[in-house]
Amino acid sequence: SGWLFGCAYRLAGAVGGITPKLVRPGTDEEAEGTKADRVRKIMRRVNPEDTYRDFIEQNVVHLSLAGESYVEKARNRLKETNELWTWRAVDVSPVADTTGRRRVASYVVRSGIGRAEYEIAAEEMIAIRVYSPSNPLRGQSAVAPIWNDLLGDRDAARYNRNLIKRGMRTGGILQPKDGDLS
């Protein structure tokens, strides 16, 4: 639905425009120190392709439409996070942990058509999910319950558009030989 996508992008633009503030945990005080400076640097430019605003907008759109968003942490040689990369929910599959210590053990990522899948440890991925009552490993979009209604509206609009293009004439009439379609 064009309206649905339009609403998601408007919401993403509004949230992306909020200036981030880095504070010490549990307080409203501005965070200080080298670790805070490194986080601020990442927040200015989350990766070579995306600004902080791009990053936030991508994640809000994914959450709005898919109910989940995945962020991979890229690390430097010192194992410090230095970049963040957003993945589409359809490209990421959570792998359940069989030990019972956590919900997800790792994630399988498909990086494009014709490319091999690879596995990422759970610690290297930030999963942002809207709770799904049917699957604790996946998120559920707020529009999932009405998705079939949206598709029906789309199909009805297509039918009406095609009918108007044909001069309000139907393509034919089905008439049963015996007189009853039931």
Side-chain angles (χ1 to χ4, degrees):
S1 168
W3 290 105
L4 179 63
F5 288 108
C7 290
Y9 281 100
R10 287 291 296 250
L11 177 62
V15 174
I18 297 172
T19 304
K21 181 179 178 185
L22 187 61
V23 296
R24 290 180 28 209
T27 70
D28 286 335
E29 298 174 22
E30 194 75 26
E32 301 296 333
T34 57
K35 193 174 188 179
D37 291 340
R38 211 166 39 77
V39 172
R40 280 188 190 90
K41 181 180 177 188
I42 293 171
M43 287 169 57
R44 279 191 299 276
R45 191 87 182 159
V46 294
N47 61 52
E49 296 179 8
D50 299 316
T51 64
Y52 173 79
R53 183 181 180 116
D54 298 332
F55 174 76
I56 293 299
E57 288 177 353
Q58 290 168 14
N59 284 284
V60 169
V61 168
H62 288 302
L63 280 172
S64 298
L65 300 179
E68 56 190 341
S69 184
Y70 295 93
V71 177
E72 182 181 358
K73 302 176 198 174
R75 300 187 184 270
N76 60 20
R77 291 181 184 161
L78 299 174
K79 302 292 183 199
E80 299 168 326
T81 301
N82 62 347
E83 293 177 357
L84 300 172
W85 292 89
T86 301
W87 285 99
R88 297 181 322 147
V90 296
D91 294 331
V92 179
S93 297
V95 177
D97 183 16
T98 57
T99 66
R101 286 183 273 161
R102 58 177 8 157
R103 190 172 291 146
V104 176
S106 62
Y107 296 90
V108 174
V109 176
R110 287 167 297 287
S111 60
I113 297 171
R115 294 186 181 166
E117 296 179 345
Y118 62 94
E119 196 164 343
I120 296 176
E123 299 80 26
E124 303 304 314
M125 188 76 82
I126 301 167
I128 308 164
R129 291 186 283 270
V130 176
Y131 175 73
S132 172
S134 61
N135 185 348
L137 299 179
R138 302 305 306 232
Q140 178 172 310
S141 167
V143 297
I146 62 165
W147 192 250
N148 287 336
D149 294 335
L150 291 171
L151 294 178
D153 289 346
R154 182 198 62 190
D155 292 343
R158 282 183 184 166
Y159 174 80
N160 289 337
R161 186 177 58 242
N162 288 333
L163 185 63
I164 291 169
K165 282 181 182 177
R166 290 191 301 261
M168 302 303 286
R169 292 188 307 266
T170 57
I173 296 175
L174 295 176
Q175 212 171 19
K177 289 181 182 178
D178 300 334
D180 187 15
L181 280 176
S182 62

